[in-house]
Amino acid sequence: MKQTELAIKQIKDFFQQNLSSELRLRRVTAPLFVLKGMGINDDLSGTERAVNFPVKDLGDQKAEVVHSLAKWKRLTLADYNIEQGYGIYTDMNAIRADEELGNLHSLYVDQWDWERTITNEQRTVDFLKNIVTRIYSAMRRTEYMVCEMYPQIKPFLGHDIFFIHSEELLQMYPDKTPKERENLITQKHGAVFIIGIGAKLSNGEPHDLRAPDYDDYSTIDKETGLSGLNGDLLVWNEVLSRAIELSSMGIRVDKEALLRQLKSSGKEERKELYFHKRLIEGSLPLSIGGGIGQSRLCMLYLKKAHIGEIQASIWPNEMREECEKHGMNLI
């Protein structure tokens, strides 16, 4: 466990330096909580409950522990006047009380949240792919460092990442669930980026749910005719024999995409919230951003079978006992 703790710090230090230089990101300090009712907190799929508490000195106004910083980062780009081609990243810590606990899911979430200003001409799938490739390059460099420090760990990440749209994936495996499709394509290619998460596919269902006010999942790509400027990065986890999502990212909504997605999701009342008003009035920059799971990345590199071997959290007694039987030391 001591060696694991040392490796966790080495991985986190090395990767964030590489991510920063690869995408030209400055580190900023992030909040653990934001005021409720301003539209700043990430709504994730729209069903998760945020942990909240009254603030005495604000007349018991409610604050919410963040789910992620998807919208806060875009406000920060504007407030810090970050120039085009540059961005920010931060250590994001969150509590997601409604998570179903397991090998990959914890109440405690730690990730590198990042956001970068872009031009209108860069709001394309090709630009998204370019950013994904650069992030994956930082992951591969980190893997090399881990294997140098710990020779018993052998390289496993493939040289290239495979891109596929969620509609193409559905046509490839029409009788499978989204998670089954993810496992099949990731086992085949090793590292996969699935484009277009949130919009309905030809079967009437989205590949996965997305809140309507940060990722642009409805803009149609001119070359492919398919919708979505966002996606998920997955790699094959040999220890668990399944795909593991390391990052969710995307080109963010502009005014037109925001209004379109709020209407289609029945969330038009959000137009009156602080974040949404600023976006509609044009005081927020166009951007691309995402989150990269810190514990999941460490778990992958160090060949751990449970995220609780990387981070301190709360687990059911039955799960702790089961992990102990299999030699997994939960922190």
Side-chain angles (χ1 to χ4, degrees), residues 89-147:
Y89 82 94
T90 188
D91 286 296
M92 189 282 295
N93 297 292
I95 299 173
R96 296 182 184 173
D98 289 339
E99 285 284 6
E100 294 184 14
L101 304 182
N103 296 66
L104 297 174
H105 293 94
S106 170
L107 299 175
Y108 170 65
V109 179
D110 57 342
Q111 64 184 32
W112 290 287
D113 252 333
W114 62 274
E115 199 84 8
R116 189 174 187 257
T117 58
I118 61 174
T119 65
N120 189 55
E121 291 70 32
Q122 290 173 326
R123 299 188 78 256
T124 65
V125 170
D126 283 343
F127 184 76
L128 173 65
K129 289 180 178 179
N130 177 267
I131 295 294
V132 172
T133 301
R134 291 163 71 174
I135 292 173
Y136 187 63
S137 295
M139 290 179 177
R140 292 190 64 233
R141 285 196 294 274
T142 305
E143 179 195 48
Y144 177 76
M145 181 276 293
V146 172
C147 294

Side-chain angles (χ1 to χ4, degrees), residues 216-322:
D216 185 339
Y217 55 71
S218 60
T219 293
I220 306 296
D221 180 64
K222 294 178 181 178
E223 291 187 12
T224 65
L226 298 171
S227 63
L229 298 175
N230 69 333
D232 291 340
L233 172 59
L234 304 105
V235 299
W236 185 251
N237 186 317
E238 297 172 341
V239 177
L240 296 177
S241 295
R242 57 160 293 179
I244 177 173
E245 180 190 319
L246 294 179
S247 178
S248 177
M249 69 187 83
I251 291 170
R252 306 309 197 186
V253 289
D254 57 8
K255 177 182 176 180
E256 290 72 23
L258 173 68
L259 295 175
R260 182 169 60 243
Q261 292 176 190
L262 288 179
K263 183 176 181 179
S264 65
S265 62
K267 304 287 186 182
E268 288 186 278
E269 73 279 359
R270 292 188 186 181
K271 290 188 292 185
E272 302 306 314
L273 299 175
Y274 173 74
F275 170 83
H276 304 72
K277 281 184 175 179
R278 286 195 61 178
L279 179 52
I280 291 169
E281 74 185 17
S283 67
L284 300 182
L286 298 175
S287 67
I288 183 173
I292 302 167
Q294 296 185 16
S295 290
R296 285 195 182 184
L297 202 60
C298 293
M299 179 184 170
L300 185 74
Y301 290 137
L302 300 178
K303 308 290 186 180
K304 301 296 185 181
H306 197 289
I307 199 167
E309 297 178 88
I310 300 296
Q311 56 160 249
S313 187
I314 298 173
W315 308 102
N317 287 332
E318 300 80 13
M319 188 177 292
R320 283 192 173 275
E321 291 168 3
E322 186 69 18

Side-chain angles (χ1 to χ4, degrees), residues 17 48 53 55 70 72 92-93 111 147 169 173 182 196 202 275 289 314 321 328-329:
Q17 289 174 353
E48 294 84 353
F53 57 93
V55 182
W72 176 88
M92 189 282 295
N93 297 292
Q111 64 184 32
C147 294
L169 189 59
Y173 305 110
E182 289 179 0
S202 59
F275 170 83
I314 298 173
E321 291 168 3
M328 291 183 276
N329 298 308

